[in-house]
């Protein structure tokens, strides 16, 4: 019997740890789904006026409506659209009817529209406040000579265009869209892989229990 004790304890402890990790991931899944539901409800709420100057990331996803005009100054962020191909996200400097200057993510243009003139135009924009975190140590610096950026960086873009560090991602636009297709905020880009992780831990627990049973069988076979 002594030969069975250590493998059995090792097997039981291993299975218990792996099962607990799987259950933890299921709890994380429940939390993430609740969070995504809250974000979805917030995105789809009735639009509000722009918040006061100095608003921060606690207002992320807040729906807003703004009236005013683009200034003709813009940043092109390299991106792509499924079914269309490579292109650019157009980040425009926007002056509101109240005289504030903010950033508007007007949406997507295909690569061949990069050099199309987009002069100042009056617009009414309904969308959501956003502070995307798209830059890391591997993100190339913007090519200012070509006017191309490789990620949305609200503080840097605001400094470059001389606006408040406030970005509105357009969901709908009234006025001359100038060939730009709005790309509304959604939850599609928010990772939710907790179910996959949970299944992985449970499968590992099953494999661990199988290996433990096989080891115990081998020990028993050697006794005869």
């Amino acid at each position: 019997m002594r030969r069975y004790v250590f493998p059995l304890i090792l097997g039981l402890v291993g299975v218990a740890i792996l099962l607990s990790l799987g259950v933890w991931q299921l709890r994380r899944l429940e939390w993430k789904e609740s969070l995504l539901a809250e974000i979805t409800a917030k995105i789809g709420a009735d639009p509000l006026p722009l918040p006061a100057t100095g608003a921060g990331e606690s207002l992320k996803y807040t729906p807003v409506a703004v009236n005013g005009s683009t200034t003709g100054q813009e940043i092109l962020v390299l991106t792509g659209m499924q079914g269309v191909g490579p292109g650019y996200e157009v980040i425009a400097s926007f002056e509101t009817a109240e005289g504030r200057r903010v950033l508007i993510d007007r949406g997507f243009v295909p690569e061949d529209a990069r050099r199309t003139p987009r002069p100042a135009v009056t617009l009414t924009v309904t969308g959501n406040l956003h502070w995307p975190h798209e830059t890391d140590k591997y993100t190339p610096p913007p090519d200012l000579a070509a006017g191309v950026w490789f990620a949305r960086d609200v503080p840097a873009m605001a400094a470059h265009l001389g606006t408040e560090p406030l970005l509105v991602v357009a969901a709908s636009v009234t006025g001359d869209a100038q060939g730009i297709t709005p790309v509304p905020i959604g939850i599609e880009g928010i990772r939710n892989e907790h179910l996959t992780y949970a299944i992985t831990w449970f499968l590992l627990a099953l494999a661990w229990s199988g290996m433990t049973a096989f080891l115990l069988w081998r020990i028993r076979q050697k006794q005869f």
Side-chain angles (χ1 to χ4, degrees):
M1 288 298 295
R2 292 180 180 178
R3 294 184 178 183
Y4 293 99
V5 174
F6 178 73
L8 183 60
I9 292 176
L10 184 63
L12 292 175
V13 170
V15 169
I17 291 174
L18 292 169
L19 288 177
S20 66
L21 289 171
V23 171
W24 175 66
Q25 286 296 339
L26 289 178
R27 291 173 180 166
R28 294 282 293 173
L29 173 65
E30 184 179 359
W31 165 80
K32 180 58 75 69
E33 288 180 339
S34 175
L35 177 64
L36 293 177
E38 290 178 10
I39 292 173
T40 300
K42 189 173 185 179
I43 290 173
D46 294 333
L48 303 170
L50 278 181
T53 302
E57 293 192 35
S58 62
L59 296 178
K60 189 173 183 177
Y61 304 121
T62 298
V64 295
V66 292
N67 299 304
S69 302
T70 61
T71 66
Q73 297 174 293
E74 64 182 26
I75 286 170
L76 298 179
V77 181
L78 188 65
T79 186
M81 177 177 283
Q82 188 174 3
V84 179
Y88 301 91
E89 200 87 7
V90 180
I91 312 296
S93 169
F94 188 86
E95 185 168 336
T96 71
E98 296 76 27
R100 295 174 62 181
R101 288 171 64 94
V102 298
L103 298 169
I104 300 288
D105 185 336
R106 299 183 63 188
F108 177 84
V109 292
E111 189 172 23
D112 58 7
R114 172 183 169 185
R115 302 189 186 281
T116 301
R118 285 178 285 272
V121 63
T122 299
L123 300 173
T124 297
V125 178
T126 301
N128 300 84
L129 300 180
H130 197 31
W131 284 266
H133 295 282
E134 298 176 347
T135 59
D136 57 30
K137 63 181 180 180
Y138 302 108
T139 305
D143 185 345
L144 299 180
V148 175
W149 293 49
F150 301 96
R152 292 178 298 179
D153 183 335
V154 172
M157 294 189 302
H160 183 70
L161 293 179
T163 72
E164 297 178 33
L166 195 67
L167 175 67
V168 179
V169 178
S172 63
V173 175
T174 302
D176 184 2
Q178 299 176 313
I180 303 172
T181 303
V183 182
I185 286 180
I187 62 172
E188 294 79 10
I190 302 176
R191 295 180 63 183
N192 183 14
E193 300 178 353
H194 297 295
L195 180 58
T196 300
Y197 297 151
I199 291 173
T200 299
W201 289 123
F202 289 139
L203 289 176
L204 287 172
L206 180 62
W208 193 282
S209 62
M211 289 187 296
T212 301
F214 178 72
L215 178 59
L216 294 174
W217 177 80
R218 288 292 302 272
I219 293 173
R220 184 173 183 275
Q221 290 297 106
K222 289 181 179 180
Q223 290 181 346
F224 294 97

